[in-house]
Amino acid sequence: MQQTLTAKRILLGISGGIAAYKSADLVRRLKERGAEVRVILTDAAQQFITPLTLQAVSGNPVSTSMLDPAAEAAMGHIELAKWADLIVVAPASADVIARLAHGMANDLLTTCVLASAAPVAVAPAMNQQMYNNIATQQNLATLKKHNFHIYGPGAGEQACGDVGYGRMLEPLELVALVEQSIEQSTIKQSVIQTHEQSQVPAGSLAGLRFTITAGPTREALDPVRYLSNHSSGKMGFALAAAAATMGAEVTLISGPVQLATPAGVKRIDVISAQQMHDAALKAAVKSDIFIGCAAVADYRAADVASNKLKKGASNELQLTLIKNPDIIAAVAGLHELRPFTVGFAAETQDVLNYARQKLLKKKLDMICANDVSQPDAGFNSDQNAVTLLWQDGEQTLALQSKTALAASLITLISQHYSPKSTTSEVTK
Ligand code: PMT
């Protein structure tokens, strides 16, 4: 199981509704992914599921009342509100949605939401008529305006026999949305922290155009086989998300990966190095900053078989490979309309030395030296560490999430960027 929520603290509020029985499974799924979960049950919720069940699955005491001195002594409501990285109300009844929309604090759950700076998500669950009622719709619109995440609801047959919208999403669907909300809030946090430490004010990248390449390329051998590498695209996508969050206009050129497009980013999907080259050069001339994070295959088959290659009698198969175009060198070699060009160097030995050689040889403005021999860093990991090198300086960014690292890199790159930074100026 991928630990996508490691050490994330989720406060789950359960309100009264038949879907409350699914909440125990939701707790289990969140914990499987590494999250720590604490639960608040409203009075009505306790008619549907017991505190004991949720204590057993969450491994933590369950909070039910603000007026219980023993519970308050263990973890008071303000402490609980501050503890959470994300508050999820699932199921969220029409009543609890109305109370949250009006900022009420008349039980432990609504008080914690009001007292928390954490993002809040609600998963509506109610009869379809109640859901469609103008009052509920207005309350949900108010929550959206206040930046609450709204998870669902789904449509289908309801416990009361009605058919329509109002079913709580299934636990696994909720978990996927929790992962997205956590990812968004981590990016925001990283951007805020990075801005606090730097001179770059938030939103200051408005008007700057980035082109970023990400992921692997695939070089076909025949209709069913290809040469490729282990790049997941996570580093490049995190860079695109960070730049977009800071207000930049971002074009992301991606090889084949299994990742959702970050909000506000224009994505162009490609497969081969040649396709990435063509898309990158077209986008680069319309960009201020180009970042080559993709793991581009250096070689491709000289001839791509039009039919599936057959096993021959010999134990050996000879492939003739030819060099792919060097995309980033072509971008850095543009005369007019050359963007500020930043590369990555994935190395397993003598990392800084090889990275400096690539900085010079490819005529880049900056390069991220990436030691991909380290466990927990580089290819297909959620974390990474790099040393950013330029002509007369360097800065090391220690092992951290790719999301946090991306925010620091985008800030550093934009601090060094100057619109007239041609290679000769940067390297003089
Ligand atoms: O995708 P992830 O799983 O998150 O992993 C991230 C990463 C390890 C892929 C990323 O951090 C990284 O290091 N990317 C560069 C990988 C690479 O191919 O490095 P390189 O040293 O072979 O290439 C040097 C530079 O030239 C890179 O900017 C690369 O994009 C570029 N290049 C390489 C070959 C080529 N034909 N054209 C290029 O533009």
Side-chain angles (χ1 to χ4, degrees):
M1 177 64 53
Q2 259 209 320
Q3 297 293 288
T4 47
L5 297 171
T6 302
K8 295 298 174 199
R9 294 178 301 209
I10 314 283
L11 181 57
L12 176 65
I14 304 179
S15 64
I18 186 66
Y21 80 91
K22 294 184 190 171
S23 303
D25 190 33
L26 175 59
V27 173
R28 201 166 60 85
R29 305 289 185 177
L30 292 169
K31 282 183 61 87
E32 274 173 1
R33 285 157 180 78
E36 200 183 326
V37 183
R38 287 181 176 269
V39 178
I40 294 178
L41 282 176
T42 64
D43 286 346
Q46 291 170 66
Q47 306 298 317
F48 294 91
I49 190 162
T50 68
L52 201 59
T53 305
L54 290 153
Q55 181 174 315
V57 284
S58 70
N60 279 316
V62 170
S63 308
T64 54
S65 164
M66 236 166 46
L67 307 173
D68 174 353
E72 278 290 295
M75 194 182 233
H77 61 281
I78 298 292
E79 235 177 315
L80 206 49
K82 286 191 176 152
W83 172 86
D85 292 320
L86 175 71
I87 301 179
V88 180
V89 185
S93 64
D95 173 68
V96 96
I97 287 170
R99 289 189 286 127
L100 290 173
H102 291 86
M104 293 178 74
N106 56 353
D107 66 0
L108 179 61
L109 176 57
T110 49
T111 304
C112 277
V113 170
L114 212 58
S116 179
V120 185
V122 295
M126 66 197 74
N127 163 270
Q128 54 86 23
Q129 198 63 51
M130 292 170 79
Y131 176 69
N132 287 320
N133 190 292
I134 184 73
T136 305
Q137 288 302 314
Q138 278 176 355
N139 289 332
L140 283 168
T142 304
L143 292 184
K144 254 189 218 159
K145 208 163 79 192
H146 295 175
N147 294 325
F148 281 56
H149 301 276
I150 314 289
Y151 295 168
E157 191 171 343
Q158 304 197 301
C160 56
D162 281 7
V163 176
Y165 277 97
R167 283 170 64 91
M168 185 171 87
L169 296 182
E170 295 303 318
L172 282 178
E173 294 174 302
L174 291 174
V175 167
L177 292 166
V178 165
E179 287 170 343
Q180 269 181 28
S181 303
I182 287 281
E183 172 81 9
Q184 278 172 19
S185 99
T186 313
I187 290 173
K188 268 194 198 140
Q189 275 308 111
S190 306
V191 169
I192 290 165
Q193 278 167 11
T194 308
H195 283 309
E196 278 169 2
Q197 290 157 9
S198 76
Q199 303 303 313
V200 181
S204 64
L205 301 192
L208 264 193
R209 297 158 305 170
F210 280 72
T211 293
I212 299 172
T213 65
T217 63
R218 280 184 191 165
E219 310 304 325
L221 299 177
D222 68 14
V224 296
R225 302 185 180 91
Y226 55 82
L227 298 171
S228 192
N229 58 65
H230 294 292
S231 171
S232 62
K234 288 177 190 169
M235 189 69 244
F237 275 58
L239 289 165
T245 306
M246 291 185 209
E249 192 186 303
V250 184
T251 301
L252 175 63
I253 301 172
S254 176
V257 297
Q258 304 295 319
L259 295 174
T261 311
V265 167
K266 179 183 166 199
R267 171 170 173 177
I268 299 171
D269 285 317
V270 296
I271 295 177
S272 67
Q274 187 62 53
Q275 288 170 355
M276 187 173 275
H277 170 271
D278 297 348
L281 279 166
K282 211 164 151 194
V285 293
K286 293 186 230 146
S287 303
D288 302 297
I289 299 179
F290 181 92
I291 306 178
C293 185
V296 185
D298 288 322
Y299 293 90
R300 66 174 186 274
D303 292 307
V304 180
S306 49
N307 290 309
K308 189 181 164 199
L309 290 167
K310 286 291 182 203
K311 234 188 280 176
S314 164
N315 282 338
E316 288 180 2
L317 173 70
Q318 301 272 346
L319 285 175
T320 305
L321 301 178
I322 55 171
K323 252 193 187 152
N324 270 324
D326 190 319
I327 300 169
I328 204 157
V331 170
L334 287 167
H335 292 295
E336 280 178 42
L337 305 175
R338 174 192 186 273
F340 187 82
T341 308
V342 183
F344 271 71
E347 303 292 348
T348 54
Q349 53 173 333
D350 206 2
V351 179
L352 293 185
N353 195 14
Y354 281 130
R356 271 216 179 274
Q357 286 178 26
K358 281 184 182 163
L359 177 75
L360 293 178
K361 191 164 166 231
K362 298 187 186 224
K363 298 188 168 46
L364 308 179
D365 298 307
M366 301 181 105
I367 196 160
C368 299
N370 200 167
D371 185 346
V372 291
S373 69
Q374 295 302 308
D376 301 333
F379 286 92
N380 199 18
S381 158
D382 289 328
Q383 298 185 304
N384 205 5
V386 297
T387 299
L388 184 59
L389 306 171
W390 56 98
Q391 180 63 22
D392 51 9
E394 63 180 64
Q395 183 158 340
T396 296
L397 299 164
L399 188 67
Q400 55 196 296
S401 73
K402 283 183 175 168
T403 302
L405 181 69
S408 299
L409 281 174
I410 293 293
T411 300
L412 279 168
I413 290 167
S414 53
Q415 282 169 344
H416 282 82
Y417 159 75
S418 102
K420 293 197 192 78
S421 55
T422 61
T423 310
S424 55
E425 279 166 357
V426 173
T427 55
K428 73 177 173 235

